[in-house]
Amino acid sequence: MSRVAAIDCGTNSIRLLIADVSHGLPDAQGPLTDVVREMRVVRLGQGVDATGELAPEALERTFAAARDYARLINEHGAERVRFAATSATRDASNRQVFVDGIRDLLGVQPEVISGDEEAALSFAGASSVLPATGEDAILVVDLGGGSTEFVLGDSNGVIAARSVDIGCVRLTERHLRSDPPTAAQISAAEADVDSALDLAAETVPLDRAAAVVGVAGSITTITAHALGLSEYEPGRIHGASLDLETITDACTSLLEMTRDERAALPYMHPGRVDVIGAGALVWRRILIRMAAVSNGTIRAAVSSEHDILDGIALSIRDGE
């Protein structure tokens, strides 16, 4: 066993996983044993879609979280650290300010990873705790704040992957400005999602998927809504397989709620209240497409609490 620290800095949140990593055969819980798993909503991608720059106040929120993470990493004695930044940082012309600030705080060089690497890490994290599927291919969908990754893979690894620029923060800022959003705003956002799905399908043969697994906060929150939970319960959300109609109904419900109604939900993180409607719109549109391309053979989707953060931790073990 070795102790590692993985940090995933996305468009909406920054997350830390300190874990003990198995170098031999994993136990039933998978190759990672959590020591610390934390998430802070810092909205690093605030305004990036419109301005192309990271806002000073967004940088300061992110740096504040990184200071706390540095303390935790030191307290728990992580031997190696990997920091991966994704969509918002990829898109920002002033990303060097971010890179320099994180390096000063954590003593490691933050990596601004490509969409393809983000997709591969997401698949590695999700598949590390999924049952073996043999010849069957699984589509892992990582729905983030600025981008969404589509990764088709099987027990041998990734078959094809594509990252596209649709996410809950990006589409909220671009289209869903009313409370609740208007029909015209929803239609415009759906058009963006459909175009992105067409792009993804150019690289990823969606019709080869025998199953769909969704990861990241928007999808797990939608699952909590579909399950009607009285609080956010990772143990009930992880591995939950729900039929597509139940999920899409939950998506529609969240999309049509007012901000105050969403804020009152007992499982809703405060930092997700204003963007979950867009996340629900994206997930609904993806599942409708998957039902169509599979000719109805895909009737359900699975949620996973394990995602790119776990993939980053595993990549430290594997020396990638």
Side-chain angles (χ1 to χ4, degrees):
M1 300 287 284
S2 60
R3 182 160 292 183
V4 302
I7 300 174
D8 164 40
C9 187
T11 299
N12 196 45
S13 64
I14 181 170
R15 300 182 300 150
L16 168 69
L17 171 62
I18 301 173
D20 290 329
V21 187
S22 168
H23 294 271
L25 292 174
D27 62 24
Q29 299 303 311
L32 298 174
T33 302
D34 288 12
V35 177
V36 173
R37 191 181 285 261
E38 287 211 3
M39 186 268 285
R40 309 277 178 88
V41 173
V42 293
R43 195 66 55 83
L44 178 62
Q46 171 192 330
V48 168
D49 187 61
T51 68
E53 291 189 347
L54 299 169
E57 60 271 29
L59 284 165
E60 185 47 47
R61 290 193 298 267
T62 306
F63 293 157
R67 288 186 194 96
D68 290 342
Y69 287 177
R71 176 181 53 79
L72 288 168
I73 290 167
N74 184 61
E75 283 181 4
H76 291 279
E79 299 160 28
R80 296 179 65 193
V81 181
R82 186 179 184 191
F83 187 116
T86 56
S87 177
T89 316
R90 283 197 298 266
D91 294 348
S93 60
N94 62 339
R95 71 179 68 88
Q96 194 60 44
V97 177
F98 167 83
V99 169
D100 292 344
I102 293 297
R103 187 181 57 245
D104 290 346
L105 288 166
L106 286 165
V108 296
Q109 181 76 11
E111 302 171 50
V112 183
I113 62 174
S114 68
D116 285 346
E117 184 169 8
E118 184 177 359
L121 289 169
S122 295
F123 184 81
S127 61
S128 69
V129 292
L130 293 174
T133 58
E135 298 293 323
D136 289 338
I138 292 175
L139 180 72
V140 172
V141 179
D142 184 348
L143 200 171
S147 66
T148 295
E149 284 64 51
F150 295 84
V151 198
L152 187 73
D154 57 21
S155 57
N156 294 314
V158 174
I159 297 168
R162 184 72 178 264
S163 176
V164 292
D165 285 340
I166 51 170
C168 60
V169 174
R170 192 184 297 272
L171 289 186
T172 299
E173 292 184 350
R174 187 182 291 178
H175 296 297
L176 305 186
R177 300 188 180 96
S178 299
D179 182 24
T182 66
Q185 291 169 352
I186 291 171
S187 179
E190 287 180 334
D192 277 6
V193 177
D194 288 345
S195 295
L197 281 165
D198 291 341
L199 281 176
E202 291 177 2
T203 305
V204 181
L206 301 176
D207 58 349
R208 284 186 56 186
V212 178
V213 177
V215 304
S218 284
I219 290 174
T220 58
T221 301
I222 293 163
T223 302
H225 187 59
L227 291 171
L229 300 183
S230 58
E231 61 181 344
Y232 192 91
E233 297 182 64
R236 292 188 60 185
I237 293 167
H238 180 64
S241 179
L242 299 174
D243 65 83
L244 298 190
E245 184 178 0
T246 297
I247 301 171
T248 56
D249 284 351
C251 290
T252 300
S253 170
L254 286 167
L255 179 59
E256 294 179 348
M257 284 181 178
T258 66
R259 191 185 192 285
D260 286 346
E261 288 170 337
R262 293 193 299 269
L265 297 172
Y267 39 78
M268 185 67 63
H269 189 286
R272 210 171 292 286
V273 171
D274 57 337
V275 296
I276 190 62
L281 181 149
V282 174
W283 191 218
R284 181 177 72 178
R285 209 68 184 165
I286 290 170
L287 294 179
I288 289 171
R289 176 71 66 98
M290 291 308 300
V293 300
S294 71
N295 294 316
T297 59
I298 289 180
R299 300 186 178 90
V302 177
S303 297
S304 174
E305 288 279 346
H306 298 268
D307 53 26
I308 185 174
L309 189 61
D310 302 72
I312 295 167
L314 290 169
S315 76
I316 301 172
R317 177 197 66 176
D318 298 335
E320 297 175 359

